Amino acid sequence: MDRANADSASHCYQREWLKYPVFAVTELIGVAAVVFVVVWVTKYQEGFAWDGSYSQFNWHPVLMIIGLLFLFGNSIVIFRVLSSVNKFAVKLVHASLHTTSIVCIILALYAVINNKNFNNQPHFFSLHSWVGITTVALFATQFFVGFAAYLFPQFPQDKKEWLMPVHKYLGATIFIMAIVSIVSGIQEQFSFIDTPPKNPYASLPAYGAVGNLVGASAVLFGLGVGLLLTNSAFAKIEKVPYVRFREDDYESEDQ
Ligand code: HEM
């Protein structure tokens, strides 16, 4: 390692600790998104039920935000945050978070589809539903392929290696699409109530403000996860001692 690379690695190493406060703030925002959506549907919509009614629909945003935002977001940053923990243990946490996410997603989809059937409403007409169903399909594909490739030792090593960049790219893409789905879903929900001539959303009632906060905290959580994933200072850096091997390294220090 030459001096420039050694300096850059040691500089990154010095800043690696910063990932913990960034992670803590990101987690707080993620928890806030979950709290806001629960308050939104319980205080300003009709709460929860599992009987085909509107209250059944309310499970849809709540479970999607828990599964596709909070748990999925955590599962993709866990390798960065727990970089000093045993890799296999972290893999199991990653797979468990994904499994819990997929249970939430299945229930969230069932809640809205069944609620629409109950009320004889059409399916898959909105932009939100198109982006949403594509996100869910990609998530399910990633889940099954990832499970087979990285938890079954029989899976060929060369294929695992080939798959890893695809797995990382798809993970980040699905996460971004989840945030687009959340924001478009909230906006669509507003469009149902914001009917002329009164357009109640335009005067920003508490219902509108809390809904906005759900979307804003989802976006901020996404920015925190993005920062943790892309900042090279937060990647695991091996402690490599500075090795001198050029003549002038010795000369400059002797002067
Ligand atoms: C990652 C998050 C989300 C995904 C993947 C998602 C996915 C979907 C899908 C696939 C449908 C279509 C169901 C059908 O047509 O039978 C749907 C419907 C709906 N979703 Fe979401 N959703 C998400 C979050 C949200 C959120 C946060 C809200 C906020 C209230 C929301 C509001 C709605 C509404 C109002 C419908 C019914 C109208 C329509 O079909 O577009 N969604 N969602």
Side-chain angles (χ1 to χ4, degrees):
M1 180 180 288
D2 63 21
R3 175 175 278 187
N5 280 340
D7 283 350
S8 143
S10 103
H11 196 219
C12 283
Y13 184 73
Q14 282 161 18
R15 286 182 303 158
E16 198 201 343
W17 65 271
L18 264 175
K19 71 184 173 192
Y20 299 109
V22 172
F23 178 64
V25 173
T26 305
E27 285 299 287
L28 278 179
I29 298 170
V31 171
V34 175
V35 171
F36 284 140
V37 72
V38 171
V39 170
W40 193 47
V41 302
T42 49
K43 203 158 176 320
Y44 304 103
Q45 300 179 54
E46 288 148 31
F48 298 111
W50 200 261
D51 53 6
S53 69
Y54 185 74
S55 303
Q56 175 173 315
F57 164 82
N58 283 339
W59 283 108
H60 173 72
V62 171
L63 288 172
M64 283 297 189
I65 284 177
I66 294 176
L68 252 174
L69 182 80
F70 189 66
L71 297 178
F72 182 40
N74 273 294
S75 86
I76 60 180
V77 292
I78 209 87
F79 287 102
R80 283 267 161 133
V81 179
L82 301 180
S83 57
S84 46
V85 177
N86 171 281
K87 189 87 184 270
F88 187 70
V90 184
K91 253 192 197 178
L92 287 182
V93 176
H94 180 74
S96 318
L97 286 169
H98 269 252
T99 309
T100 320
S101 291
I102 211 151
V103 172
C104 291
I105 294 166
I106 290 168
L107 291 173
L109 259 191
Y110 180 80
V112 65
I113 292 177
N114 181 256
N115 163 260
K116 283 183 156 199
N117 287 343
F118 195 77
N119 295 299
N120 279 325
Q121 287 170 349
H123 294 283
F124 304 109
F125 60 86
S126 64
L127 176 59
H128 166 71
S129 64
W130 288 14
V131 179
I133 204 68
T134 312
T135 311
V136 171
L138 287 174
F139 185 93
T141 311
Q142 171 91 328
F143 178 79
F144 291 114
V145 175
F147 225 90
Y150 301 111
L151 284 178
F152 284 100
Q154 291 85 353
F155 202 86
Q157 185 63 28
D158 58 332
K159 296 211 168 47
K160 272 189 203 177
E161 281 164 18
W162 177 86
L163 207 60
M164 188 38 83
V166 182
H167 186 77
K168 285 184 178 172
Y169 168 77
L170 256 189
T173 305
I174 296 165
F175 186 64
I176 294 169
M177 289 178 69
I179 293 172
V180 174
S181 305
I182 290 168
V183 172
S184 61
I186 294 168
Q187 202 57 46
E188 182 166 2
Q189 181 77 343
F190 285 144
S191 75
F192 293 144
I193 60 142
D194 197 39
T195 45
K198 283 194 174 167
N199 294 88
Y201 180 45
S203 57
L204 198 61
Y207 167 72
V210 178
N212 285 358
L213 284 174
V214 178
S217 46
V219 172
L220 282 178
F221 178 72
L223 294 180
V225 167
L227 183 62
L228 286 162
L229 282 184
T230 56
N231 195 316
S232 56
F234 301 157
K236 187 178 183 183
I237 292 159
E238 305 300 336
K239 274 188 190 172
V240 181
Y242 171 56
V243 183
R244 299 187 294 185
F245 62 93
R246 286 188 332 201
E247 277 298 305
D248 53 339
D249 280 346
Y250 291 90
E251 280 162 17
S252 57
E253 282 196 7
D254 292 342
Q255 283 160 13

